[in-house]
Amino acid sequence: MTFRLLDAGDAAFTIEFGNAITPSLLDTVQALDAAIASAHAAGELAGLIETMPTFRSLTVFFDPLVTGRQALIGALKPLLDGERQKDATNERHWRLPVCYEGEFGPDLVDTAIAIGVTVDELIALHSGTEVAVYMLGFLPGFPFMGDVPERLRLPRRKEPRVRVPAGSVAIAGGLTAIYPWESPGGWHLLGRCPVPLFDASRGSPSLLAVGDRVSFEPISPTEFERITATRKTNEIDIMRFCKVNSSLLNSPVTA
Amino acid sequence: MTTTVQLEVVSPGAYASVQDVGRRGYRKVGVPWAGALDRRLMRIANALVGNPEGTPIIECFDGGQQFAARHGAVRLAVAGDAVLELISNGERRVLMSWCSMTLAEGEVLRLRHLEHSRIAVVAVEGLTLPPVLGSASTYARAALGGVDGRALTTGALLPTSAACEGKEKMLSALPSVDSDAVRVVAGPQSDHFSPESLASLVNTAFRVTSEADRMGVRLEGPPLQHAGAPEIISDGTVPGSIQVPGNGQPIVLLADAQTAGGYPKIATVISADLARVAAARPGQTLRFQWVDAQAGEQLARDAEIETRRLLASVRPLMAGGIDEEALYAGSLVTGFIDALSPEYRLVPEHT
């Protein structure tokens, strides 16, 4: 796999593998990231701070007081040249509840009109497709997921919203996402998910991990409020929405 | 009596938040580092009160902050070009930054204003806050760290374990004021810009706009032209990334910025110069200058040596050795201070 090394200042560089969102680029980035993580855990790669894998590139952060760009690239060379295997074990499948109704989906009608389907067909298209988590960022726990069906491929809104509510489920540019936090945003809002995507008190704070598979289950506003209530009382059991390798996790239903 | 000694936020001023070195290891799930925008100020302020260098501090923007000691005495130090005032029993006295001071119970320290920059740092002896994901730094977007995950508000109470023993300390070598060009390394998408725009980045002055916070600083100048589309497939950002959206006006990303972005990044401000960008005031102009990545690394090492030199200059404030009257008179600070001027106001720009 060819790559380019791009400078990102005096304390980081980016290894860029391509300029597209494709399964093979995603696998390449994730495999390199896993190889770096295990080398770092084994005490190698002194001065490495952390990595940021994206669709098509990996940014490496380092401490220039401990190492340098040349030294670190040299140390990464065997990992870059090595064979990279995708680790397919423990694939997780999530079925996340989404309310596609009323105020929860402010762009539902416009989007349906734009692509020439009914609202029900739009909901079926979006919820009926299993997507994969491609990357996390730009906000904590924000999952970029794809691919959505070709018919749902839309550019971003011309006028980004100043305030997108937390939990909003959205589409843009062939991808779908859930906003874990209220923030500005330019995606089309189809619904809202009541399951928290990020919780700093969890050992692994992001609900989703890169490589997880996700589909959506349409729920009523009543069900949305019920799950939201269990969230407020800390009784929500997030793992009830997850299956690992097709075997249901043995966990009590509390929501 | 076991009531903890506390520092009360009487006023958060323009903006104040608890920060430390920031959190590491969570960028890949979208969590930026946050942390002190000027780590040198953080380290100096902590050294002045005898804290470990990375102890959480209060990062203050634009002055106006007021802090009071509650349930006992609290030792503080302010690093930065702040003009300070001690309010004790209705009397006001001007104090200097760059040295520690002990507030008796009920006394209030006020950051009246900052002379040239936007950022001053207040260290508090024995300040203790629980780390969240490895850091006490406030990252308000995701309600992480600090006090209740947000910027400081009036009435917030910060627990300290202050001993307040020993002499006050002062910094005997002051940081130099650097107004040279901000050094930048060509960015990961510098090839997305026309040669004229790359030249224009370093040949023209950019004005700091009022859209500037802990996430980033929007600049204004001659529009930088993209060679192609003003969008890329999102990739990683770093503190210091200069991204250029479709309008051609650059944005320098800082500690709280998003971890990935879809705008081409023309350059990256080196870590040694980033605090200066963060502290630049709206209306002020910045110029940029190219360096290569390896020169940038060397500048980071040089900056660390300078920080250590400054830290090594922390000395006990000797009774009689330094004229305390002169220090408190304030004439050393600016030459002229109207100690009775009413409330904080932003000093107008003279550019």
Side-chain angles (χ1 to χ4, degrees):
Chain A
M1 181 66 75
T2 57
F3 58 85
R4 295 201 301 160
L5 284 172
L6 307 172
D7 286 326
D10 59 311
F13 54 85
T14 296
I15 305 164
E16 185 188 81
F17 291 98
N19 195 20
I21 300 177
T22 67
S24 80
L25 281 177
L26 287 160
D27 289 350
T28 300
V29 170
Q30 286 304 316
L32 176 62
D33 193 44
I36 291 175
S38 56
H40 195 219
E44 298 168 36
L45 307 175
L48 176 85
I49 295 174
E50 64 183 296
T51 56
M52 171 63 187
T54 71
F55 300 111
R56 60 194 183 89
S57 64
L58 185 84
T59 299
V60 177
F61 293 80
F62 64 90
D63 181 352
L65 305 183
V66 178
T67 187
R69 186 182 183 280
Q70 290 309 327
L72 196 52
I73 290 169
L76 288 173
K77 194 86 171 59
L79 305 180
L80 279 161
D81 293 340
E83 277 294 304
R84 287 183 282 270
Q85 294 283 319
K86 190 193 174 193
D87 180 9
T89 56
N90 292 328
E91 197 168 71
R92 299 192 300 177
H93 295 256
W94 297 88
R95 189 150 175 81
L96 297 177
V98 175
C99 181
Y100 294 93
E101 290 181 38
E103 54 160 334
F104 296 129
D107 296 333
L108 211 48
V109 174
D110 286 352
T111 304
I113 292 168
I115 65 172
V117 297
T118 66
V119 165
D120 285 348
E121 286 167 339
L122 172 58
I123 294 168
L125 267 174
H126 186 262
S127 63
T129 311
E130 190 179 63
V131 289
V133 178
Y134 288 162
M135 85 178 231
L136 294 159
F138 64 120
L139 296 171
F142 185 103
F144 289 88
M145 301 175 283
D147 284 356
V148 299
E150 195 58 38
R151 294 192 75 173
L152 288 183
R153 199 172 272 269
L154 277 179
R156 291 167 192 223
R157 284 165 55 90
K158 285 205 179 68
E159 290 291 320
R161 284 188 171 82
V162 176
R163 203 185 75 84
V164 171
S168 292
V169 177
I171 57 167
L175 300 175
T176 186
I178 308 171
Y179 285 79
W181 312 98
E182 181 183 306
S183 87
W187 293 34
H188 307 269
L189 312 184
L190 304 186
R192 209 174 300 171
C193 173
V195 180
L197 272 87
F198 190 92
D199 181 347
S201 68
R202 292 196 293 245
S204 179
S206 176
L207 181 76
L208 303 175
V210 171
D212 285 1
R213 317 284 303 185
V214 178
S215 60
F216 304 104
E217 181 178 352
I219 57 168
S220 67
T222 315
E223 180 64 6
F224 181 93
E225 296 305 339
R226 210 174 62 78
I227 298 174
T228 303
T230 65
R231 176 178 175 172
K232 283 181 183 145
T233 53
N234 270 329
E235 288 172 281
I236 191 161
D237 173 23
I238 53 168
M239 294 315 287
R240 75 172 266 231
F241 304 108
C242 183
K243 282 194 290 183
V244 178
N245 283 346
S246 307
S247 70
L248 254 175
L249 275 189
N250 185 17
S251 57
V253 174
T254 56
Chain B
M1 208 176 94
T2 55
T3 312
T4 324
V5 179
Q6 290 168 323
L7 186 72
E8 181 187 338
V9 179
V10 176
S11 167
Y15 185 88
S17 65
V18 171
Q19 301 294 338
D20 58 13
V21 295
R23 40 185 75 74
R24 300 290 185 276
Y26 297 95
R27 292 188 86 87
K28 66 177 65 174
V29 292
V31 184
W33 287 347
L37 292 169
D38 191 328
R39 287 168 69 180
R40 179 180 283 170
L41 293 185
M42 173 188 78
R43 293 166 72 183
I44 290 172
N46 273 325
L48 288 168
V49 295
N51 284 342
E53 284 180 14
T55 305
I57 50 80
I58 305 169
E59 182 183 83
C60 300
F61 267 83
D62 299 330
Q65 293 77 14
Q66 296 186 49
F67 305 100
R70 299 289 181 226
H71 310 297
V74 176
R75 177 172 281 159
L76 303 170
V78 182
D81 60 357
V83 175
L84 311 176
E85 189 174 74
L86 180 74
I87 306 167
S88 177
N89 296 321
E91 297 208 352
R92 290 165 183 247
R93 197 167 62 160
V94 172
L95 296 182
M96 277 184 74
S97 52
W98 311 113
C99 53
S100 70
M101 64 196 79
T102 299
L103 297 186
E105 180 167 355
E107 287 184 332
V108 173
L109 174 75
R110 172 163 164 245
L111 276 68
R112 279 189 22 177
H113 68 263
L114 273 56
E115 300 242 63
H116 305 290
S117 96
R118 293 193 70 192
I119 298 172
V121 160
V122 179
V124 184
E125 184 185 10
L127 179 65
T128 45
L129 283 165
V132 177
L133 301 179
S135 166
S137 288
T138 310
Y139 174 60
R141 176 80 73 193
L144 301 180
V147 178
D148 300 329
R150 52 182 189 186
L152 292 174
T153 52
T154 298
L157 295 168
L158 302 169
T160 77
S161 58
C164 299
E165 287 163 3
K167 291 201 165 69
E168 303 295 354
K169 290 176 183 163
M170 62 174 289
L171 190 72
S172 51
L174 293 190
S176 56
V177 178
D178 189 353
S179 56
D180 296 342
V182 169
R183 290 155 298 184
V184 295
V185 176
Q189 286 86 38
S190 56
D191 58 355
H192 283 233
F193 295 87
S194 66
E196 295 75 26
S197 290
L198 291 170
S200 164
L201 182 71
V202 291
N203 291 336
T204 41
F206 288 84
R207 203 178 66 85
V208 176
T209 70
S210 58
E211 288 178 85
D213 57 18
R214 288 188 40 87
M215 285 185 65
V217 176
R218 269 178 201 269
L219 303 176
E220 201 174 71
L224 301 168
Q225 308 287 340
H226 297 83
E231 270 183 53
I232 57 168
I233 295 172
S234 279
D235 90 327
T237 60
V238 307
S241 289
I242 306 181
Q243 62 176 28
V244 183
N247 65 4
Q249 300 298 335
I251 303 168
V252 183
L253 301 184
L254 299 175
D256 285 5
Q258 63 275 19
T259 53
Y263 295 124
K265 298 175 284 291
I266 191 170
T268 312
V269 176
I270 63 168
S271 49
D273 287 352
L274 192 55
R276 266 202 293 139
V277 177
R281 288 185 169 171
Q284 197 177 321
T285 56
L286 294 175
R287 286 180 171 275
F288 296 106
Q289 179 190 336
W290 296 118
V291 292
D292 68 30
Q294 266 165 303
E297 286 173 20
Q298 190 52 49
L299 291 165
R301 292 173 200 131
D302 295 347
E304 175 65 16
I305 290 167
E306 173 62 7
T307 302
R308 289 186 190 172
R309 184 184 75 83
L310 295 169
L311 290 169
S313 82
V314 171
R315 306 247 187 283
L317 193 61
M318 305 298 283
I322 298 283
D323 182 353
E324 286 199 52
E325 283 300 310
L327 281 176
Y328 289 142
S331 54
L332 283 182
V333 186
T334 54
F336 178 76
I337 294 168
D338 175 7
L340 298 174
S341 89
E343 276 311 297
Y344 155 79
R345 65 192 148 75
L346 236 155
V347 176
E349 290 299 324
H350 307 282
T351 44

